[in-house]
């Protein structure tokens, strides 16, 4: 890297470190849920999203091409090999050198290393694999690193978070930064933290990734969503991960 | 679609906005719109203590006595585009298509309320005197 780029990176890093991401310590959406919803998440036998973890475990040992390798061929002991991994995503991929979400990383591993047709962003197979990997970080703190590579993504994500948009002309920050803890028709506004994904969402009666939630939020303010895997969502996800640094991973979570 | 043109020009006046339709608003219809949970409706953020509706809004000021504090034209302006009164407000503009970013394709070029809905809600709010 050229010296002036390093300097730019360092400046961005200093800006990110000094600016702060929220007026208050991060609080998991769990704390804003009704007791019945919390119980659903707390009990692995009741938690509907545990289905994803179980399905993920099946896929982990599955050949992706006839006679080909499985995930397990390389990552033999998932509990130790994958512990803490999801808590560090999005991150700079050591192979490609660019920022990737956990979903993008799984897709590139299956498509690249295993030479198979990878499950699509938003598909149940990808939710299952990311839930399985995320489950190995349950209880560990989100710790996405602020680096010269991630800093510009974090700043772009902050801009997306604070830009008013849609027919309702609201930004994410208008509610999740400025009014969290207050009520909207009986529901408490959360901080918009992302430490429990993939989740089972009661409103959907379905599972969803962080980026599915972004799309739902965008549509609820009647804004045009971005595409799954887009740079914009990756930036937003990276910003939110740093904003929520230290929150314990709850994967697989349950939300209202 | 004529009223779309109105949406572009109605907010030009500073401070007040006259009737969008010339047809008097219906307070009963206005009340139905104001409390409709399927719409981006007033009670999500505001409260009216004379109404029995549960879980009324807390983000915006109470609408009790709003008719004592504002004229109909001032209330209408704040429904049409509250940014004209308070540039930093988080209240959505109910009858404006300008100054918005990345409006979803289903809603692009459309307003939240149609002109008569603006009149109806204004008419109901003007009954809230103390």
């Amino acid at each position: 890297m050229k010296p002036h780029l390093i300097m730019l990176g360092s400046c961005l890093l200093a800006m990110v470190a000094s600016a702060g991401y929220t007026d208050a310590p991060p609080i998991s959406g769990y704390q804003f849920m009704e007791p019945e919803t919390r119980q659903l998440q707390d009990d692995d036998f009741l938690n509907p999203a545990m289905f994803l973890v179980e399905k993920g475990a099946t896929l982990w040992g599955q050949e992706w091409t006839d006679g080909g390798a499985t995930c397990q061929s390389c990552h033999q002991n998932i509990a130790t090999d994958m512990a803490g991994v999801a808590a560090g995503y999005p991150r700079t991929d050591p192979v490609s050198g660019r920022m990737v979400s956990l979903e993008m990383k799984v897709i590139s591993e299956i498509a690249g290393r295993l030479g198979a047709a990878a499950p699509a962003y938003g598909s149940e197979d990808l939710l299952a694999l990311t839930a399985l990997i995320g489950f190995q970080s349950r209880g560990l703190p989100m710790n996405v690193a602020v680096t010269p590579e991630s800093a510009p993504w974090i700043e772009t994500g902050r801009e997306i978070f604070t830009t008013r948009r849609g027919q309702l002309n609201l930004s994410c920050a208008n509610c999740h930064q400025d009014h969290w803890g207050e009520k909207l028709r009986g529901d408490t506004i959360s901080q918009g933290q992302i430490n429990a994904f993939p989740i089972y969402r009661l409103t959907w009666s379905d599972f969803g990734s962080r980026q599915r939630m972004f799309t739902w939020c965008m549509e609820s303010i009647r804004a045009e969503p971005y595409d799954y895997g887009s740079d914009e969502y990756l930036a937003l996800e990276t910003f939110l991960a740093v904003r929520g640094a230290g929150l314990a991973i709850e994967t697989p979570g349950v939300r209202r | 679609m004529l009223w779309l043109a109105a949406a572009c020009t109605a907010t030009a006046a500073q401070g007040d906005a006259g009737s969008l339709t010339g047809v008097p608003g219906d307070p009963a219809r206005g009340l139905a719109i104001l409390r409709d949970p399927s719409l981006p409706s007033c009670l999500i953020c505001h409260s009216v203590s004379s109404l029995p509706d549960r879980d009324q809004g807390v983000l915006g000021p109470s609408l009790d006595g709003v008719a004592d504090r504002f004229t109909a034209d001032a209330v209408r302006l704040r429904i049409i585009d509250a940014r004209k009164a308070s540039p930093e407000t988080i209240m959505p503009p109910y009858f404006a298509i300008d100054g918005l970013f990345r409006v979803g394709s289903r809603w692009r070029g459309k307003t939240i309320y149609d002109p008569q809905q603006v009149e109806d809600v204004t008419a109901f709010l003007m009954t809230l005197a103390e």
Side-chain angles (χ1 to χ4, degrees):
Chain A
M1 187 182 270
K2 290 174 182 159
H4 66 271
L5 281 180
I6 293 173
M7 277 184 61
L8 176 65
S10 307
C11 288
L12 284 169
L13 208 60
M15 283 165 55
V16 165
S18 64
Y21 290 102
T22 172
D23 302 335
I27 300 171
S28 170
Y30 179 90
Q31 301 298 335
F32 301 105
M33 300 191 320
E34 298 298 317
E36 304 78 48
T37 317
R38 291 187 189 188
Q39 281 167 19
L40 267 187
Q41 175 172 306
D42 290 343
D43 186 335
D44 284 349
F45 293 97
L46 293 178
N47 182 342
M50 281 303 292
F51 167 81
L52 289 179
V53 175
E54 287 158 22
K55 179 165 183 174
T58 305
L59 294 174
W60 198 255
Q62 167 194 291
E63 291 175 1
W64 290 86
T65 55
D66 281 346
T70 68
C71 302
Q72 199 169 0
S73 305
C74 293
H75 310 288
Q76 301 226 340
N77 186 336
I78 187 167
T80 54
D81 291 358
M82 292 293 141
V85 168
Y89 274 86
R91 57 165 288 181
T92 307
D93 182 36
V95 180
S96 67
R98 64 154 288 160
M99 286 293 291
V100 287
S101 64
L102 182 60
E103 283 87 349
M104 293 160 76
K105 180 63 174 171
V106 172
I107 289 172
S108 74
E109 288 290 299
I110 294 173
R113 218 180 285 272
L114 300 181
Y121 225 113
S123 68
E124 192 173 281
D125 280 2
L126 194 60
L127 286 165
L129 286 165
T130 52
L132 175 72
I133 297 166
F135 185 61
Q136 314 308 318
S137 291
R138 191 160 72 163
L140 299 176
M142 279 209 297
N143 66 342
V144 167
V146 181
T147 65
E149 289 78 25
S150 69
W153 290 88
I154 295 165
E155 280 313 305
T156 301
R158 181 210 293 276
E159 197 176 312
I160 292 169
F161 187 79
T162 54
T163 299
R164 300 180 67 153
R165 64 188 66 236
Q167 192 192 44
L168 303 194
N169 195 35
L170 293 167
S171 70
C172 314
N174 282 150
C175 286
H176 295 294
Q177 185 100 318
D178 300 337
H179 290 286
W180 63 265
E182 296 177 48
K183 295 264 188 181
L184 268 191
R185 297 245 65 171
D187 295 322
T188 307
I189 303 171
S190 77
Q191 290 185 346
Q193 301 289 353
I194 56 170
N195 53 310
F197 288 86
I199 58 167
Y200 180 83
R201 189 158 189 241
L202 301 170
T203 305
W204 296 332
S205 302
D206 197 8
F207 311 109
S209 64
R210 290 169 171 180
Q211 298 198 2
R212 179 175 183 185
M213 193 70 215
F214 298 163
T215 290
W216 186 89
C217 290
M218 296 273 182
E219 287 180 341
S220 71
I221 55 170
R222 301 184 175 182
E224 191 68 21
Y226 298 102
D227 293 333
Y228 289 163
S230 62
D231 283 354
E232 289 87 355
Y233 274 172
L234 181 61
L236 182 58
E237 190 176 334
T238 308
F239 166 72
L240 289 174
V242 173
R243 175 175 174 262
L247 284 179
I249 296 285
E250 295 173 18
T251 308
V254 177
R255 290 295 182 267
R256 169 176 41 79
Chain B
M1 285 295 111
L2 260 184
W3 56 269
L4 270 184
C8 299
T9 55
T11 56
Q14 292 294 311
D16 290 320
S19 172
L20 295 175
T21 63
V23 177
D26 177 341
R29 279 206 306 259
L31 170 58
I33 295 163
L34 169 132
R35 74 201 320 183
D36 184 343
S38 72
L39 292 174
S41 55
C42 311
L43 289 189
I44 293 177
C45 290
H46 298 278
S47 59
V48 177
S49 59
S50 58
L51 296 178
D53 303 55
R54 294 180 56 193
D55 298 323
Q56 297 189 23
V58 296
L59 294 196
S62 165
L63 296 173
D64 292 349
V66 69
D68 299 327
R69 299 193 295 278
F70 295 101
T71 64
D73 285 0
V75 166
R76 184 184 294 105
L77 177 82
R78 283 159 177 78
I79 298 169
I80 288 173
D81 191 345
R83 295 174 293 182
K84 300 291 180 188
S86 316
E88 297 305 313
T89 184
I90 64 168
M91 179 168 163
Y94 280 79
F95 192 67
I97 56 174
D98 295 332
L100 302 175
F101 174 64
R102 286 187 71 87
V103 175
S105 53
R106 269 178 288 170
W107 299 284
R108 207 166 297 153
K110 297 173 183 164
T111 56
I112 301 173
Y113 286 168
D114 68 31
Q116 199 56 44
Q117 287 177 312
V118 172
E119 294 308 313
D120 293 343
V121 173
T122 301
F124 173 75
L125 292 176
M126 292 313 290
T127 69
L128 297 178
E130 291 185 317

